[in-house]
Amino acid sequence: MNVDQGIDQRRARRLNLRQDQKGPVIYWMSRDQRFQNNWALLFACRKARQLQQPLEVVFTLAPSFLGAPLRHYDFMFKGLAEAETSLRNAGIPMTVLFGNPEETMPDFVQKRRVGLVVSDFSPLKLVRQWKRAAAAEAPCAFYEVDAHNIVPCWLASPKQEYAARTIRPRLDALRRSFLTPFPEPVAFCQPASLSAPPVNWDELLSLLDTDHSVRPVSGITPGEAAAEQRWRSFLAETIERYDDYRNDPNAGAVSGLSPYLHFGQISAQHVAFEASQSLVSQSNLNAFIEELFIRRELSDNYCFYNEQYDTFDGLPAWAKTTLMEHAEDHRDYIYTPEQFEKAQTHDLLWNAAQLSLVETGLIHGYMRMYWAKKILEWSPTPMAAFDIAVMLNDRYALDGRDPNGYVGVAWSIGGLHDRPWSERPVYGKIRYMNASGCARKFDVSRYISTMNRISQTTLF
Ligand code: FO1
């Protein structure tokens, strides 16, 4: 295993076959928007030291991104501003390029005579297209470093995995060599010229083509420091209740890290490593690592190997077959996307889940499954259900537009990574959930009144 200064070389792969050139080293930050515990930044820094070149960070801001509304840019920009400050304090300037990344990045590489580019890793096809175009045009070397997963996605498996049980042995086999602490961010390479003024985030916000009707959320503080704070309090006060209470949305027993993980404001590896070194009981550690490591990396695996991850067509064949066999079944209720969006169904529990999405940008993991399955039950077709669930999740959930979100919808509506269950109307053999099932697990009326109270407060 070739570990060079604490960085396992298997974390990086080449996106073109050109050599490193003489010129500044660029970390093209996209998914992992943080200073600490960032393999892509550490790899770029080591390269800069080797080549005796300055290191710069570039963020390419697209005019729009899969329909992301103001809520997400507000959260992301506050996190990026914090990362910019941390980088500046380490002598590393950060530049934001506004426009289509397929054009702005190649243009930057040319103009600045860049020596080599290091990008982080996202399996989303839009981001992969940006990098494919930029790497093809770049006259210099282009590396991709998976700073998001503990085991680099392309190493975990060479193909789409069927379920957690098939990827788990592969991830477990590599866990020992990849679930490590991070090398200290030693004094970063020679400070570059920090003459550039700080990024004007407010001006950038005004340039975006984004829907301002989905307002910023108030209940969660963005950024790397707040993410770490959230993690520390979860580890100190809550993780011991995780296994027993994680499916109870009233219990507040989940980490609340998913928006921070989505924007890369905290490292999953850092969280998993600290958890495994802590005194937490084995059952709680196993349950937490299953979600944070196995399930999350299974989601990246799905999106990486299945380009139809965001559509009904990407679903397993058995699931599409059974859902289509029941596509004509009678539906007791049918709602339009607007009725779903405005939480105007007959089901108070479902409406409460939708209200939590709209008002807080968060929905409890167990409730997201119930929420998506009822969209299947009350939509005219399974294809429509899939699209409505993805649209609402991406529009309101802070962790939307994320592999975890696409896989969550595909699991709930399309049996992805699940198995066939006993056949029933509309669902076919897709696993069924209902309100009485929820009532067996938690106090439904308490959840409903909590969410209604939240929506009252934020409405006025
Ligand atoms: N990443 C970028 O590199 N540029 C963007 O303009 C950008 C916008 C954006 C908006 C909403 C959102 O949820 C994520 C966004 N990302 C952006 C983050 C990044 O692309 C993430 O890697 C993926 O969303 C998740 O893999």
Side-chain angles (χ1 to χ4, degrees), residues 384-445:
F386 193 100
D387 293 343
I388 290 165
V390 166
M391 181 274 291
L392 290 176
N393 187 60
D394 284 2
R395 184 165 163 74
Y396 292 106
L398 275 174
D399 63 355
R401 269 170 307 283
D402 191 280
N404 246 15
Y406 296 121
V407 166
V409 168
W411 180 90
S412 302
I413 292 180
L416 177 72
H417 303 149
D418 200 359
R419 63 173 177 79
W421 293 72
S422 52
E423 192 155 8
R424 57 181 301 123
V426 182
Y427 286 76
K429 297 172 192 155
I430 299 297
R431 181 197 298 252
Y432 178 65
M433 279 174 83
N434 66 2
S436 52
C438 291
R440 279 196 297 277
K441 283 194 180 280
F442 61 88
D443 181 340
V444 164
S445 52

Side-chain angles (χ1 to χ4, degrees), residues 151 153 155-174 290 293-295 297-299 301-302 305 316 415-419:
V151 175
C153 189
L155 269 185
S157 170
K159 64 179 179 13
Q160 178 181 328
E161 291 292 334
Y162 285 101
R165 65 177 161 71
T166 64
I167 200 170
R168 193 177 296 113
R170 307 181 70 99
L171 290 173
D172 281 345
L174 291 162
E290 176 71 13
F293 176 37
I294 308 296
R295 288 278 161 184
E297 306 204 1
L298 177 62
S299 299
N301 168 274
Y302 180 62
Y305 289 113
L416 177 72
H417 303 149
D418 200 359
R419 63 173 177 79

Side-chain angles (χ1 to χ4, degrees), residues 30-31 33 59-62 65 68 76 122 130 262-263 401:
S30 172
R31 190 175 196 199
Q33 301 169 11
F59 186 86
T60 51
L61 179 65
F65 186 81
M76 186 170 81
S122 170
W130 294 351
H262 167 65
F263 287 103
R401 269 170 307 283

Side-chain angles (χ1 to χ4, degrees), residues 76 83 177 179-180 228 261 272 282 359:
M76 186 170 81
S177 50
L179 182 50
T180 66
E228 182 66 17
L261 289 164
Q282 203 54 48
E359 301 304 335

